[in-house]
Amino acid sequence: MASTMSFKLACVMVLCLVVGAPLAKGAISCGQVISALTPCIPYVRNNGAVGVPAPCCSGIRSLNAAAQSTPERQSACNCVKALAASISGINYDLTNKLPGMCGVHSPFKISPSTNCKSVK
């Protein structure tokens, strides 16, 4: 199971590198998003049974601080959306509560149908 998760994360990282290559210098990379949010995966896959890990909140706060412009927030949205889609068994209700639980306001909802172009 761990090897399947590692493979999925590796695929998402490669996809994000290919998609994110033409982004402007200084934009948030999908690698940064994956690194920041990986500690949150057990929480959103296990219906909150493990509690929110401190590194998860640290990652959410660091992404929020890094995504100051509209293009950065849209880039982060696309990466988060791709990461979430690659994780089987994700609980989107818990996923969307995480920013608030970590003291952060998210400018977008995490969902397969989120239109990241509308994020401001």
Side-chain angles (χ1 to χ4, degrees):
M1 180 128 177
S3 63
T4 302
M5 177 59 79
S6 297
F7 177 73
K8 286 181 180 181
L9 286 174
C11 288
V12 170
M13 288 178 74
V14 169
L15 173 68
C16 291
L17 289 172
V18 171
V19 172
L23 294 175
K25 183 179 178 185
I28 294 172
S29 73
C30 285
Q32 288 173 286
V33 171
I34 291 168
S35 177
L37 299 182
T38 295
C40 303
I41 293 172
Y43 179 79
V44 299
R45 288 189 75 207
N46 296 313
N47 291 317
V50 295
V52 180
C56 171
C57 283
S58 295
I60 289 172
R61 286 191 292 271
S62 70
L63 280 178
N64 186 61
Q68 294 300 306
S69 69
T70 295
E72 289 168 334
R73 286 188 289 274
Q74 289 174 345
S75 176
C77 176
N78 282 314
C79 295
V80 169
K81 186 175 168 181
L83 176 62
S86 75
I87 301 169
S88 63
I90 190 171
N91 180 324
Y92 283 98
D93 288 334
L94 282 178
T95 302
N96 284 301
K97 290 178 183 176
L98 268 175
M101 294 171 76
C102 296
V104 172
H105 169 73
S106 176
F108 57 88
K109 292 286 183 197
I110 300 166
S111 163
S113 63
T114 297
N115 178 1
C116 293
K117 290 181 180 180
S118 68
V119 173
K120 302 291 180 208

